[in-house]
Structures are given as structure tokens and as C-alpha cells.
Amino acid sequence: DTHPVILLADRCNSLLRAVSPDGKQLVTQYSYSWDSERAMDGTPGPHPVGIACCPCASDNFEIFVADATSGRIKLLRLSAEPVDDGDTRRVAVTVAESVPLVRPAGLAIWEDTLFAADERGHRVAAFDMQLRERSSSLSFGRYGGAPGKLDTPLGLCVWRATVYVADSQNHRIQAFSARRGTFLRNFGVFGSAAGEFMQPTGLTTIAVGSTEMGLVVIEGMGSRVQLLALNGRPLQMIRLPHGAQP
């Protein structure tokens, strides 16, 4: 199907869901197999927590999925084959998988490198498009609160060779070089004011006007979404209903 869709990782239902751009229509849903012997925490079934579309040249549509059950990144090929007769779910075939991380989370791609946040390993790992881990110089981060160190990294995004990381338990956004894995800058502290964060969990870039790019930051504890310039300058804040957790 050539119609645009948004892919969602439905971790609680162990599914990948494709919905219409307005979010109102479920187009299809995919299920992928897993190895029960690799379950790290007794979770019954796959637990997809991050998605990135594979830019590999192929006639098939392939995606990378961070699976928290196995602790691995999987390269999945989405097919039209039903899981069972009469089943609305389609099969996602595993093409390749990474070495295990402690607990993978957000994914982002820059050129031919896949960056994966390792939530409980407190680092960001770098892989090639076949999920072979790249040299240690491209992976970055270790546990701590100093600049360049990480505490529970979750969301990732990349813009112009810079990897932005939602450093959740340090309540800040950190920026690293996609070419070298070196620390560039960070911004944000714990708080409820604009430009401050309460457990940032998700990140993406968005066009702001005709010439500028911005960062959209989702906060798990703050129940809000912020739009910031790439240097951390606050531009807009949307507060969610009381008790809502994005």
C-alpha cells in the first residue's frame, strides 16, 4: 500500500500498529516472533519500545524495532501474510538482530548508522544497517550526571550529524556528534518552567517556520510537550490534562 501511515510500537499488546496520519484509522497491525529463552524479565511475548524505518534499498518495507523482552534490536520485514487464517494481524519476519543490550529504547538513524538508546545500560550504542555493532568510538555515554554522562536515556533523534538524547533521569537533553560520538552540549534542568524538564522520554525534530528546525520533547513526569530551538531556547509548551502521561 502506498498510502502514508504512522507506525506505532504497542508494547503492552506486543504489536506494531500502522495507523492513518490523523490517527483515526487502524490500517493494519503486525506481529513478530520471539525466542522465549531470551526473555530477560519474564515478559510474556515481544515488547516493542522503539521503531526506526530502514533506509536500505529493498523492494520490501523493513523497519528496526527495539525489543525490550529480548534486549535486542531487530530488523523486521513487514509482509501481507496473515499470522493465521482469518487473523487481521500480518507477519513481520525477522531479517537480522543485534547483540543484546541491557534494555533498548529509542532508535534514530543517521546516514548508514543506527543509534540505539540503552535505557538500563546508560549509553547509546551504534550499529550498521545489518545490526553489526560499530566501533566503540561511535557509541557513547556511561552512567552519571556530569556533562556527557547519561542516566536512563530514552528518546533519540538526529539532525545534521548531531544526536539529541532524552537523558531522562538527569532531566535534560544532551547533544553528541553522530560522526565521532563526542559530547557537544546539553540543556535543561529539573523543573516545571519552560525549558526545564521532568523526565523527558521522547524526542523528534520539526520544522519551525521556513528556515529553522526545532525539537519536540515529551515528558513522562511533567505531563506536557515542549517545543524548543535546537539550542534549548523554549518556543512553546502544551500542558496535558491532569494525570495524563504521554
Side-chain angles (χ1 to χ4, degrees), residues 84-96:
D84 293 302
D85 290 342
D87 199 323
T88 59
R89 295 173 299 164
R90 301 294 184 242
V91 173
V93 180
T94 301
V95 177

